[in-house]
Amino acid sequence: MNILELPVSITNWIILSDILKYSTDSRVFMKVFKEYLSFLPIYKVEEVCIEAQSNLLTDADFQLVMETLWRCAAL
């Protein structure tokens, strides 16, 4: 199962939110912001950002995730 190809749904959000705790792949965090941002309360967005900052291996990856968040929030 490729988590990056999962369609948007409540069930898949539950799977993704669990995966975020362990993921070091910036693409997973970017998928959350691109596809789920409009459904998330602000405290969940903050939790995802905290997970990204603590899990991602490089500052460049974290910066890419934050740029994705800002692009998606601006729409």
Side-chain angles (χ1 to χ4, degrees), residues 4 6 12 28 30 54:
L4 297 175
L6 292 174
N12 291 338
V28 176
M30 290 187 294
S54 63

Side-chain angles (χ1 to χ4, degrees), residues 1-12:
M1 172 175 76
N2 185 353
I3 59 170
L4 297 175
E5 295 177 2
L6 292 174
V8 175
S9 72
I10 298 293
T11 305
N12 291 338

